Amino acid sequence: MAVSAIVLTTLCYALLTLILVRVVFSWISRDVDNPIYRSTYVVTEPLMGPIRSRIPSNVTAGLDLSPAVVAVGIFVLIAVFSRLY
């Protein structure tokens, strides 16, 4: 049980890193031909897309808050997994 919790925690941290890379790329350049941007988009979009569609745009003033919402959820998962080992 402890090994699987450690593996899941590590995967959560990797996912947080990918979300951070995607956010930084969105600030710098959204070059869809860049393989790093494309791979982070493919991995993170299934998590961020449904959340983005549920957050009303008039509340966020045009800001995409889906990375923050997903990151908070991942931090909750990390806290749960860390209690298992």
Side-chain angles (χ1 to χ4, degrees):
M1 180 79 119
V3 174
S4 62
I6 293 171
V7 169
L8 289 173
T9 302
T10 304
L11 289 175
C12 285
Y13 280 120
L15 189 58
L16 280 173
T17 304
L18 289 175
I19 290 172
L20 180 64
V21 167
R22 179 175 172 179
V23 168
V24 169
F25 262 100
S26 73
W27 294 338
I28 297 171
S29 168
R30 289 188 185 175
D31 182 16
V32 294
D33 294 330
N34 188 331
I36 297 172
Y37 178 76
R38 188 175 34 224
S39 62
T40 57
Y41 182 85
V42 167
V43 172
T44 59
E45 186 60 24
L47 293 173
M48 294 187 345
I51 292 172
R52 186 182 307 110
S53 66
R54 285 180 174 73
I55 298 175
S57 61
N58 59 353
V59 174
T60 62
L63 294 174
D64 184 15
L65 296 179
S66 60
V69 173
V70 171
V72 168
I74 292 172
F75 281 124
V76 169
L77 286 175
I78 290 171
V80 169
F81 294 147
S82 67
R83 289 193 168 261
L84 297 176
Y85 60 89

